[in-house]
Amino acid sequence: MTTLKPNALKAALYNRKIQLGLWCALSSSYSTEIVAGSGYDWLTLDMEHSPNDMHTVLTQLQMLGAYNLEPAVRLVKFDKDLVKQYLDMGVRTLILPNVESAAQAGEIVLSTRYPHRGVRGVAGQQRANRWGRIANYAQTADEQICVLVQIESAPGVNQFDAIIGTEGIDGAFVGPNDLAASMGFLGQQHHSDVQKTIQSLPAVAAKHGKSIGILAASEADVQRYIEWGYKMVGLGSDQGLLAKASDTLLSNCRQFAQQHARE
Ligand SMILES: O=C(O)C(=O)C[C@H](O)[C@@H](O)CO
């Protein structure tokens, strides 16, 4: 008898435990496995700003089954049929971008639930129920599905209390780049007005007994966001780590080589 593995990230967020993760956009099970070995609590497979598609996400999910972490997938947009496909594929933590109203949040929840609690299409066999081997999957799937909404616009911030208070929404995740742009500070996620807004959100989530996450751009950001009450904290991205490490290594060695060029 195959059973549904508990969603440890969802449980940790409701217990308000800090969960550290990484944003994965390199769209490769090989590079994602390299960072999975670091021991993150979660990894987000990004489908909005990456070449990821359904097949690259599937291969990453299959690989990540061997690691003690929760894979999350940030969809490119909310679409109930996309939600259905990724839940059927076995995704249990979904991040929906740019949610701006409780009505949108309610539609998102319905798309993750089977009738009559929602509108998720029913398949007899799929990877999520291990092709029928998890006998009571349809009746118990909701418990392990974690629905996170991205707050990354001024309207989303204005409606955040209603959004996070929507039944079935398990948490939120701030997109600092888009939030800054929406507030009129394109490329300035550290602008004081943007930071004040970011600082204000965890208390609203906590009022509803829920947690909120964010993607940090530096270790200093990580520390500050944790102090402000963020629980699902992204330490950066795989592509950011690779680009930065590559640039730094070359710059340091180039400098050294130039110092010795005149010998
Ligand atoms: O708005 C943001 O910031 C996010 O949603 C995260 C970015 O999209 C991610 O690609 C990191 O830059």
Side-chain angles (χ1 to χ4, degrees), residues 23 46 49 74 150 152 175-178 215:
W23 213 254
D46 187 17
H49 294 292
R74 198 265 292 267
Q150 277 206 271
E152 47 186 353
N177 291 292
D178 279 326
L215 187 57

Side-chain angles (χ1 to χ4, degrees), residues 3 12 29 33 39 57 64-65 79-81 98 128 136 150 216 245 253:
T3 57
S29 57
E33 184 161 22
V57 166
L64 288 171
D79 174 285
K80 70 176 179 62
D81 294 324
N98 196 30
N136 60 346
Q150 277 206 271
C253 295

Side-chain angles (χ1 to χ4, degrees), residues 4-27:
L4 208 48
K5 182 183 162 195
N7 186 328
L9 175 63
K10 180 176 183 178
L13 293 178
Y14 272 108
N15 288 318
R16 308 196 47 71
K17 288 183 181 170
I18 294 168
Q19 297 288 285
L20 303 178
L22 196 75
W23 213 254
C24 295
L26 289 174
S27 310

Side-chain angles (χ1 to χ4, degrees), residues 19-23 40-44 215 232-236:
Q19 297 288 285
L20 303 178
L22 196 75
W23 213 254
Y40 291 100
D41 300 311
W42 55 272
L43 295 176
T44 289
L215 187 57
M232 184 180 174
V233 183
L235 309 186

